[in-house]
Amino acid sequence: MATPNYGYEKRQRELAKKKKKEEKLKAKTHRRPDEPQDDQPADGSAAFASPAPAEPSESSGG
């Protein structure tokens, strides 16, 4: 019985990962600009909302 060639198998997995990553990047760059992206909100208004309150807090003294 032949021994497994782990180096060859690892190389093939690395090549498959690299190919998949390149295809994903290519698809991302060729995406239409009017499509909403996963990491950004569709309307874009959430990026400008301020999470901090406008009023001063009560713990600042007096």
Side-chain angles (χ1 to χ4, degrees), residues 7-59:
Y8 176 78
E9 292 175 7
K10 182 178 180 182
R11 179 69 177 145
Q12 293 304 308
R13 285 193 305 269
E14 289 174 353
L15 288 172
K17 280 185 187 179
K18 186 176 180 182
K19 183 179 178 183
K20 186 175 179 181
K21 187 175 182 181
E22 288 175 354
E23 288 176 356
K24 192 173 182 181
L25 181 64
K26 185 178 179 183
K28 189 176 182 182
T29 56
H30 291 293
R31 187 180 296 161
R32 295 187 323 207
D34 61 340
E35 280 186 26
Q37 295 182 3
D38 296 339
D39 58 347
Q40 296 178 352
D43 60 354
S45 63
F48 299 108
S50 62
E55 305 173 9
S57 63
E58 295 177 23
S59 64

